[in-house]
């Protein structure tokens, strides 16, 4: 079983749709959690950190459920520019990072 | 402030050759990482370092070596290149604030071994 598993996708949605991505992790010692965005043939860039209390940044909302070892990302009112691969990342307190394989989103006009 | 820089951007190696991928960061970050990304896959951690003089293996260290003599530099050495090492290599660094390890990535090195 992979340490970090994401919805395989791809997700193809129309503009304006709401889409949710899920991620589960197996290491209960994990301490910090992130969503990164990666555009084609580019480096990943931080989208947002994920906190137990949940956090929101504009159209993006991230949630963490430590008991279920589950992370989610919700994108509301999808834009064409949201098309990318979204990577779930889990870190231990020792600084070791584990990435999921990513979920690809395509937003269509 | 250049962030994380990597050289070279592209490289073609013959089987059995060796090379060093360079990575430098100017943000005074303690933590640095090397990842590889195969087509359609996520990033796999090769090695990481929590500070100068300290390195540790990640998920896929075989065939690679690293050193960290300064805070700024974290080179990755490939010895005896194999076709299985064809991949995109990303270097990253992060500051440490409590349990936060947000990573900043370099633009990547695209390596082909033939």
């Amino acid at each position: 079983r992979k340490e970090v598993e994401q919805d395989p996708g791809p997700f193809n949605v129309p503009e304006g749709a709401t889409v949710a991505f899920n991620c589960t992790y197996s290491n209960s010692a994990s301490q910090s959690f992130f969503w990164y965005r990666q555009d084609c043939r580019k480096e990943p860039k931080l989208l947002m950190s994920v906190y137990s209390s949940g956090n929101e940044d504009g159209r993006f909302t991230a949630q963490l459920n430590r008991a279920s070892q589950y992370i989610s990302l919700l994108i509301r009112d999808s834009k064409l520019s949201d098309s990318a691969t979204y990577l779930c990342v889990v870190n231990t307190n020792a600084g070791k990072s584990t990435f999921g394989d990513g979920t690809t989103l395509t937003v269509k006009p | 402030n250049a962030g994380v820089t990597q050289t070279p951007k592209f490289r073609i190696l013959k089987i059995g050759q060796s090379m060093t991928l360079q990575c430098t960061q100017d943000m005074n970050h303690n933590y640095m990482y090397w990842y590889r990304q195969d087509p359609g896959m996520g990033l796999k951690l090769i090695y990481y370092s929590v500070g100068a003089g300290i390195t540790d293996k990640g998920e896929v260290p075989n065939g690679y070596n690293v050193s960290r003599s300064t805070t700024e530099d974290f080179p990755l050495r490939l010895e005896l290149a194999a076709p299985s090492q064809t991949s995109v290599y990303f270097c990253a660094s992060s500051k440490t604030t409590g349990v936060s390890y947000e990573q900043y990535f370099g633009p990547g090195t695209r390596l082909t071994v033939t």
Side-chain angles (χ1 to χ4, degrees), chain B residues 23-29 32 68 70-74:
Chain B
C23 176
T24 300
Q25 53 92 8
D26 61 1
M27 297 174 282
N28 201 32
H29 287 172
M32 295 188 75
R68 183 98 182 270
T70 67
T71 298
E72 295 78 21
D73 299 305
F74 191 39

Side-chain angles (χ1 to χ4, degrees), chain B residues 9-64:
Chain B
K9 286 190 168 55
F10 303 93
R11 183 72 186 267
I12 299 174
L13 279 183
K14 293 191 187 314
I15 294 171
Q17 287 185 321
S18 300
M19 74 165 294
T20 299
L21 281 67
Q22 302 291 347
C23 176
T24 300
Q25 53 92 8
D26 61 1
M27 297 174 282
N28 201 32
H29 287 172
N30 283 334
Y31 284 58
M32 295 188 75
Y33 310 81
W34 273 107
Y35 296 92
R36 60 176 286 171
Q37 186 175 33
D38 299 329
M41 305 294 287
L43 279 69
K44 288 185 165 45
L45 184 64
I46 304 172
Y47 272 95
Y48 67 107
S49 168
V50 302
I54 306 168
T55 62
D56 210 345
K57 294 179 181 179
E59 185 183 354
V60 290
N62 291 343
Y64 306 94

Side-chain angles (χ1 to χ4, degrees), chain A residues 32 36 38 41 91 93 97, chain B residues 35 37 99 101 103 106 110:
Chain A
S32 53
Y36 280 74
Q38 186 175 27
R41 297 179 68 80
N91 283 14
N93 201 33
S97 283
Chain B
Y35 296 92
Q37 186 175 33
V99 294
Y101 298 99
Q103 295 179 51
R110 283 165 175 74

Side-chain angles (χ1 to χ4, degrees), chain B residues 82-99:
Chain B
S84 61
Q85 293 179 303
T86 294
S87 191
V88 179
Y89 292 83
F90 289 105
C91 178
S93 70
S94 66
K95 56 188 173 183
T96 54
T97 53
V99 294

